[in-house]
C-alpha cells in the first residue's frame, strides 16, 4: 500500500464509510458519521460516531476508526474516507473532520495522508492532511525534550 489511491480504491473506501455510517450511535444530534481508514497493511478499519448522554464523552467516527486500528496493531495509514449527515438521509454536504480528529490523524500520519470527504461513492473531494492541518503539532519537539 503506497502512493496515491486509484479511483477504484477511493470509491471502495467511500463506500465503506457510507456503509459504516448506518451503524453510528447518534441519539442526541441525529447527525451520523461513518469513517473508513485504510491501513498500509491493506486492511480497512471502519468507525462511527458514538455519542453519550454526557455530551463531552462522545467519540467521532474518525477517531473510532483510528483507535480500532491502533488496538489492532496497525499504526501506518494511507487514507481515510468520511461521510456524514442527518440520520436516515443521504449526506447533504461533505463532512470535514473536526480539529480533534485532524490532530489524531497527525499523530500517526504525515502531511501526505489523504482525507476523502464523500457525499456518495462517486461524489468525493480529496485533501491532504497538510492542507487540512498546516503547521500541525506532530510531537517532534516534545519527543526531543523527553529524551533529554
Ligand atoms: N462528528 C464526527 O463523528 N466527526 C467529526 O469530525 C465531527 C463531528 C460527530 C460527533 C457528534 O456525534 C456529531 O458528529 C455532531 O457533532
Amino acid at each position: 500500500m503506497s502512493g496515491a489511491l486509484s479511483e477504484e480504491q477511493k470509491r471502495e473506501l467511500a463506500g465503506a464509510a457510507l456503509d459504516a455510517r448506518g451503524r453510528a450511535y447518534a441519539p442526541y444530534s441525529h447527525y451520523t458519521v461513518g469513517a473508513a481508514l485504510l491501513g498500509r497493511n491493506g486492511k480497512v478499519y471502519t468507525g462511527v460516531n458514538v455519542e453519550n448522554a454526557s455530551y463531552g464523552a462522545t467519540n467521532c467516527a474518525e477517531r473510532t476508526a483510528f483507535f480500532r486500528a491502533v488496538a489492532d496493531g496497525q499504526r501506518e495509514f494511507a487514507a481515510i474516507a468520511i461521510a456524514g449527515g442527518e440520520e436516515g438521509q443521504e449526506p447533504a454536504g461533505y463532512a470535514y473532520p473536526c480539529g480533534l480528529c485532524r490532530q489524531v490523524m497527525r499523530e500517526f500520519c504525515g502531511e501526505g495522508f489523504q482525507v476523502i470527504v464523500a457525499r456518495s461513492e462517486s461524489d468525493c473531494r480529496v485533501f491532504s492532511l497538510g492542507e487540512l492541518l498546516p503547521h500541525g503539532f506532530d510531537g517532534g519537539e516534545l519527543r526531543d525534550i523527553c529524551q533529554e
Side-chain angles (χ1 to χ4, degrees), residues 114-130:
Q114 290 176 75
V115 180
I116 301 159
V117 286
R119 290 183 59 204
S120 71
E121 281 185 26
S122 57
D123 182 357
C124 300
R125 288 181 180 171
V126 186
F127 298 87
S128 70
L129 182 56

Side-chain angles (χ1 to χ4, degrees), residues 27-29 50-60 63:
Y28 304 104
S29 73
V50 182
E51 297 190 344
N52 194 282
S54 177
Y55 294 178
T58 291
N59 207 61
C60 290
R63 280 178 289 141

Side-chain angles (χ1 to χ4, degrees), residues 26-74:
Y28 304 104
S29 73
H30 300 287
Y31 180 83
T32 55
V33 186
L37 175 63
L38 178 61
R40 291 271 178 212
N41 58 357
K43 256 179 96 169
V44 174
Y45 299 90
T46 57
V48 298
N49 52 332
V50 182
E51 297 190 344
N52 194 282
S54 177
Y55 294 178
T58 291
N59 207 61
C60 290
E62 301 91 315
R63 280 178 289 141
T64 303
F66 267 89
F67 299 157
R68 282 184 83 179
V70 173
D72 195 47
Q74 185 60 32

Side-chain angles (χ1 to χ4, degrees), residues 7-147:
E7 284 306 312
E8 185 56 29
Q9 283 176 309
K10 268 185 239 168
R11 283 183 85 92
E12 276 184 27
L13 212 53
L18 287 155
D19 181 59
R21 193 181 152 227
R23 298 187 290 279
Y25 176 72
Y28 304 104
S29 73
H30 300 287
Y31 180 83
T32 55
V33 186
L37 175 63
L38 178 61
R40 291 271 178 212
N41 58 357
K43 256 179 96 169
V44 174
Y45 299 90
T46 57
V48 298
N49 52 332
V50 182
E51 297 190 344
N52 194 282
S54 177
Y55 294 178
T58 291
N59 207 61
C60 290
E62 301 91 315
R63 280 178 289 141
T64 303
F66 267 89
F67 299 157
R68 282 184 83 179
V70 173
D72 195 47
Q74 185 60 32
R75 295 183 184 174
E76 291 182 5
F77 304 101
I80 191 168
I82 309 161
E86 192 176 338
E87 192 165 34
Q89 309 214 354
E90 299 300 313
Y94 301 100
Y96 291 94
C98 78
L100 263 183
C101 289
R102 293 179 198 204
Q103 183 61 27
V104 168
M105 291 174 195
R106 195 66 189 85
E107 182 69 22
F108 296 101
C109 309
E111 295 196 332
F113 177 68
Q114 290 176 75
V115 180
I116 301 159
V117 286
R119 290 183 59 204
S120 71
E121 281 185 26
S122 57
D123 182 357
C124 300
R125 288 181 180 171
V126 186
F127 298 87
S128 70
L129 182 56
E131 287 177 289
L132 296 182
L133 188 66
H135 309 291
F137 181 62
D138 67 359
E141 279 194 44
L142 194 62
R143 276 188 285 275
D144 292 346
I145 294 167
C146 294
Q147 278 159 15

